[in-house]
Amino acid sequence: MSGAAPFGRVVVFGAGLIGGSFALALKAAGQVGEVVGFGRTLGSLNQALRLGILDRVGFNIGQEVYSADLVLIAAPVGMSGEIMARIAPCLGPQTVVTDAGSTKEDVVAAAREHFGGRIGQFVPAHPIAGAENSGAAAARADLYRDRQVVLTPLPENDAASIACVRAAWAACGAIIRELSAAEHDRIFAAVSHLPHLLSFALVHELAGRDNRELLFDFAASGFRDFTRIAASHPEMWRDICLANRLALLEELDRYRAQLDALRDSLQAADGARLEEVFDIARRARRDWGERRGGR
Amino acid sequence: MSGAAPFGRVVVFGAGLIGGSFALALKAAGQVGEVVGFGRTLGSLNQALRLGILDRVGFNIGQEVYSADLVLIAAPVGMSGEIMARIAPCLGPQTVVTDAGSTKEDVVAAAREHFGGRIGQFVPAHPIAGAENSGAAAARADLYRDRQVVLTPLPENDAASIACVRAAWAACGAIIRELSAAEHDRIFAAVSHLPHLLSFALVHELAGRDNRELLFDFAASGFRDFTRIAASHPEMWRDICLANRLALLEELDRYRAQLDALRDSLQAADGARLEEVFDIARRARRDWGERRGGR
């Protein structure tokens, strides 16, 4: 359409919160000619069309992908492999593919399997902008503003492909970082996947009790914040847990050891040790909050 | 001072977030003649004086308490006993004493010990308005608006004493509930004390690692909310953990069993079970959020 935009055609697989916000941000920045969407249900794609996220709902995957400058895979992690298998034979010589998966080693393994000799055209990425809401209706053009996007480039990626993905995320207002896929998965197991598991576990445990109504009735703002992430998408988090299973198991075991030690201190009524642990945690949390500012 | 106010003189022990906000709210509602404060340091009392929380810094405990209509003990739970011992001999015939402790069975036990035959003048209470900030500077007149305050009245309390404490909290805009002290402590172990312990444990565990800077650098909004309560006051939370030790140990053991089960599912890569757990948690958390509205 608009030949002047850096990205003539962008194809998104999944036009929900993540893919939809990406499309809206590129459009708001005047960076894209047209956005074409594929997805699991026609209903959600039509909704994305009505919301101005998509210009067209795609019909012929081969044709759309061949002529695309950039393809974003923004479906649940568990579906990445299937999508890759379908698009791999159709890549144009200029097509760059990226993804938005919360885990990276599994995505890279799937990409190597499906893209084969064209793996250089796939640049893995993870935008860190979770939200407990999902779907096209939750998408917004400013979701990625001042948020981090982690690229985990492959040795096979050429500079131009990496620059293409960086440019797209920069146009969304994101701060771009690079890690190896393995580093990425270990870091996010600790600071994201484990907290989600812990929060789900607490709410699930309480929800199974006979007196749950009474308990929830007295839960206040501390509970609200601690459990906000327990309202996250079950299917998405199932896939993340399975994809990053080994790193997450390691984090879970470290955390259980920490809880065991705290239990011992509590059992022994060791107030000095409890206060010391709480004090170290408080300082670290406050320092983090201050460094982070409003983000 | 103003003979028309329902409470001629209110004495607060501790003029920080909790006691200070109580004083400011009563003043804003025109419910109090004067507020007199006692505390651990003259510096914090003078700050409360400058902020308009106190009308006077108390000097003679016996005199002030004898002529007070209402005394609020809003010091750390671990100091309640000492304060009770000092005020018990000085209660006037009209003086009603209440507290703001986050645990109740220990406070009631201490009150029985110190107030003896005058235990009927002590009405235990717990305003549920935690905040990670503390001190007089954090106090605000609207802290308790639409928040719950749980009274755990004693068989010895007469109706007038209970009505006095209810009236004071109602003037602060609070929603007043009643529970037994034992019920209170079991409920709050589950929905407040345990989440605090879990959040402290996570941040403490990460803060002890060599790569903590890298980890914290990639922590995002999920981590921010999950760990907000890990910035809570270490001394206060030490006292709460010790005071409610048995109920908290029981909750911690239930939670560890829950984590063990989740670990098994993860180890077995049982995606169906993980999704089921996450789905139950999400529904319960969403229902709770909706019932609670903006609170």
Side-chain angles (χ1 to χ4, degrees):
Chain A
M1 316 282 268
S2 152
F7 298 97
R9 179 176 296 163
V10 168
V11 171
V12 294
F13 284 84
L17 175 70
I18 298 300
S21 295
F22 181 76
L24 288 175
L26 288 181
K27 289 180 164 208
Q31 297 284 306
V32 61
E34 66 166 0
V35 178
V36 180
F38 292 91
R40 282 194 285 183
T41 69
L42 201 58
S44 64
L45 290 171
N46 281 333
Q47 186 188 18
L49 206 56
R50 282 195 305 277
L51 291 166
I53 291 168
L54 302 178
D55 297 298
R56 286 191 293 114
V57 171
F59 178 71
N60 183 325
I61 286 187
Q63 212 165 45
E64 302 293 355
V65 166
Y66 187 80
S67 58
D69 297 298
L70 183 62
V71 175
L72 173 69
I73 301 172
V77 178
M79 302 183 59
S80 304
E82 187 188 325
I83 294 168
M84 288 173 181
R86 294 191 64 183
I87 66 176
C90 324
L91 301 186
Q94 83 298 337
T95 308
V96 174
V97 183
T98 188
D99 78 314
S102 303
T103 50
K104 297 268 70 76
E105 285 200 292
D106 66 312
V107 167
V108 170
R112 289 198 181 284
E113 179 188 341
H114 296 293
F115 289 116
R118 308 177 87 174
I119 186 68
Q121 287 174 261
F122 178 71
V123 183
H126 172 205
I128 304 163
E132 72 267 38
N133 296 313
S134 54
R140 15 179 265 263
D142 68 348
L143 183 70
Y144 302 115
R145 183 156 307 282
D146 300 328
R147 300 301 183 92
Q148 297 190 96
V149 173
V150 182
L151 306 191
T152 62
L154 305 172
E156 294 89 343
N157 293 144
D158 62 21
S161 299
I162 297 171
C164 165
V165 176
R166 291 186 79 104
W169 285 113
C172 296
I175 301 158
I176 296 153
R177 310 285 303 268
E178 287 192 16
L179 291 170
S180 76
E183 281 174 324
H184 171 281
D185 285 1
R186 281 197 302 270
I187 291 170
F188 285 88
V191 301
S192 171
H193 309 167
L194 177 66
H196 277 79
L197 199 68
L198 300 179
S199 185
F200 278 128
L202 182 77
V203 180
H204 180 260
E205 207 283 307
L206 297 179
R209 299 199 196 179
D210 291 339
N211 67 342
R212 58 184 168 270
E213 295 298 329
L214 186 66
L215 294 173
F216 285 132
D217 198 21
F218 286 100
S221 60
F223 179 86
R224 176 195 66 208
D225 293 345
F226 185 90
T227 61
R228 187 183 65 80
I229 51 180
S232 300
H233 202 283
E235 183 190 2
M236 175 181 161
W237 281 94
R238 175 202 66 194
D239 289 348
I240 289 173
C241 289
L242 294 178
N244 203 19
R245 196 168 63 91
L246 296 181
L248 182 53
L249 279 170
E250 202 175 299
E251 289 301 325
L252 186 52
D253 288 342
R254 290 182 79 132
Y255 186 77
R256 289 158 83 231
Q258 177 77 203
L259 275 193
D260 289 348
L262 262 179
R263 192 197 185 285
D264 291 344
S265 302
L266 189 61
Q267 175 83 55
D270 184 348
R273 176 59 185 157
L274 291 174
E275 187 176 357
E276 183 185 30
V277 168
F278 299 168
D279 192 54
I280 289 168
R282 182 199 218 194
R283 282 168 202 269
R285 178 58 177 73
R286 293 207 156 189
D287 287 351
W288 177 79
E290 279 162 23
R291 272 204 308 279
R292 198 168 177 267
R295 275 195 301 122
Chain B
M1 316 282 269
S2 152
F7 298 98
R9 179 176 295 165
V10 169
V11 171
V12 294
F13 284 84
L17 175 70
I18 298 300
S21 295
F22 181 75
L24 288 174
L26 287 182
K27 289 180 165 210
Q31 295 285 306
V32 61
E34 65 166 359
V35 178
V36 180
F38 292 92
R40 281 193 288 183
T41 69
L42 201 57
S44 64
L45 290 170
N46 281 333
Q47 187 188 18
L49 207 55
R50 280 196 305 276
L51 292 167
I53 292 168
L54 302 178
D55 296 298
R56 286 192 293 115
V57 171
F59 178 71
N60 184 325
I61 287 188
Q63 214 164 44
E64 302 294 356
V65 166
Y66 187 79
S67 58
D69 297 299
L70 183 62
V71 175
L72 172 70
I73 301 172
V77 179
M79 300 183 61
S80 305
E82 187 189 325
I83 294 168
M84 288 173 181
R86 293 192 66 183
I87 67 175
C90 324
L91 301 187
Q94 83 297 336
T95 308
V96 174
V97 183
T98 188
D99 79 311
S102 304
T103 51
K104 296 268 68 72
E105 285 200 292
D106 66 313
V107 167
V108 170
R112 290 199 180 283
E113 178 189 340
H114 296 294
F115 290 116
R118 309 179 85 175
I119 186 69
Q121 287 175 261
F122 178 72
V123 183
H126 172 206
I128 303 162
E132 72 268 35
N133 296 313
S134 53
R140 15 179 264 261
D142 67 349
L143 183 69
Y144 303 114
R145 182 156 306 282
D146 300 326
R147 300 302 183 92
Q148 297 191 97
V149 174
V150 182
L151 306 192
T152 63
L154 305 172
E156 295 89 342
N157 293 144
D158 63 22
S161 299
I162 298 171
C164 166
V165 175
R166 291 186 79 102
W169 284 114
C172 297
I175 300 158
I176 296 153
R177 310 286 302 270
E178 287 192 16
L179 292 170
S180 75
E183 283 174 324
H184 171 281
D185 286 1
R186 282 196 301 270
I187 291 170
F188 285 89
V191 301
S192 171
H193 309 167
L194 178 66
H196 277 80
L197 200 69
L198 300 178
S199 184
F200 278 128
L202 181 77
V203 180
H204 180 260
E205 207 283 308
L206 296 179
R209 298 198 196 179
D210 291 340
N211 67 342
R212 58 184 168 270
E213 295 298 330
L214 185 67
L215 294 174
F216 285 133
D217 198 22
F218 286 100
S221 61
F223 179 85
R224 177 195 64 209
D225 293 343
F226 185 90
T227 61
R228 187 183 66 81
I229 51 180
S232 301
H233 202 283
E235 183 189 1
M236 175 181 159
W237 281 92
R238 175 202 66 195
D239 289 348
I240 290 173
C241 289
L242 295 178
N244 204 19
R245 197 167 64 91
L246 297 182
L248 183 53
L249 279 169
E250 203 175 296
E251 289 301 327
L252 187 52
D253 288 342
R254 290 182 80 132
Y255 186 76
R256 287 159 83 234
Q258 177 78 205
L259 275 193
D260 290 349
L262 262 179
R263 192 197 185 285
D264 290 344
S265 303
L266 190 60
Q267 175 82 57
D270 184 348
R273 176 60 184 156
L274 291 174
E275 186 176 358
E276 182 184 31
V277 168
F278 299 168
D279 192 54
I280 289 168
R282 182 200 218 194
R283 282 170 202 269
R285 179 57 178 76
R286 294 207 156 190
D287 288 349
W288 178 79
E290 278 162 24
R291 273 204 309 278
R292 198 170 178 265
R295 276 194 302 124

